[in-house]
Amino acid sequence: MRELSVVGVRVELPSNQPIVLLREVEGDRYLPIWIGAVEATAIAYEQQGVKPARPLTHDLLRDVLAALKAPLRAVEITELKENVFYADLLIGDGVRVSARPSDSIALALRVGAPIRCAEEVLSEAGIVIPDEQEDEVEKFREFLDQVRPEDFAG
């Protein structure tokens, strides 16, 4: 397993499909995952420090895990089958729960849990951005600084 960090979310044009972009902590590969608008909003809210008046589903799950004294230890993106990513939540003392990567990432951001990815998944779906495209990554980061969660509303 390789540890990943969340670069951010964006809307892919022309399809208007949100993606979350992850990057290897100790490596050069990026992992783009197409996600739903609700999950994109949840990830963007957390990254931007937006606190909604009422808890979102991911906030609720964080609070339930805390109340049960069953901390989220890590998120693992385990498989890629037919262009669908699969992930597991590692909870408490060895409990493993299957979950969508988008929900898993939104929850991991809320509790500060590490996000890991199987090497096989990164080998298949990871991309390396050449040096001449690094300015594109910088533009993406600038975009992330300007985007608002409301931009992902369908």
Side-chain angles (χ1 to χ4, degrees):
M1 288 281 171
R2 306 281 299 184
E3 188 165 347
L4 304 176
S5 63
V6 180
V7 176
V9 291
R10 69 174 286 192
V11 175
E12 190 68 30
L13 298 174
S15 66
N16 287 329
Q17 179 71 36
I19 66 167
V20 61
L21 186 63
L22 307 167
R23 182 172 191 207
E24 279 183 293
V25 171
E26 295 183 11
D28 298 330
R29 292 176 291 186
Y30 290 82
L31 184 66
I33 300 177
W34 279 256
I35 62 175
V38 172
E39 294 79 15
T41 300
I43 291 168
Y45 271 9
E46 190 60 28
Q47 283 197 305
Q48 295 177 3
V50 174
K51 300 298 178 202
R54 298 293 300 143
L56 300 177
T57 304
H58 303 97
D59 301 316
L60 174 64
L61 185 52
R62 174 200 60 212
D63 295 347
V64 167
L65 290 173
L68 294 174
K69 296 183 178 24
L72 178 65
R73 304 279 184 206
V75 164
E76 292 183 350
I77 301 169
T78 57
E79 292 183 273
L80 176 60
K81 291 183 193 174
E82 299 177 15
N83 294 323
V84 177
F85 289 90
Y86 294 82
D88 287 340
L89 302 173
L90 279 61
I91 301 170
D93 295 325
V95 175
R96 188 176 283 266
V97 177
S98 180
R100 295 183 304 182
S102 55
D103 290 322
S104 303
I105 292 164
L107 183 58
L109 287 173
R110 282 163 171 73
V111 302
I115 301 166
R116 301 183 191 121
C117 185
E119 179 60 41
E120 299 79 27
V121 174
L122 273 172
S123 294
E124 184 175 345
I127 58 173
V128 176
I129 299 177
D131 289 339
E132 61 269 10
Q133 291 182 4
E134 279 297 318
D135 61 333
E136 291 298 318
V137 173
E138 185 56 37
K139 288 178 187 173
F140 178 57
R141 287 189 180 114
E142 290 173 12
F143 164 80
L144 293 174
D145 289 339
Q146 303 301 320
V147 71
R148 298 168 316 184
E150 296 80 27
D151 295 337
F152 298 103

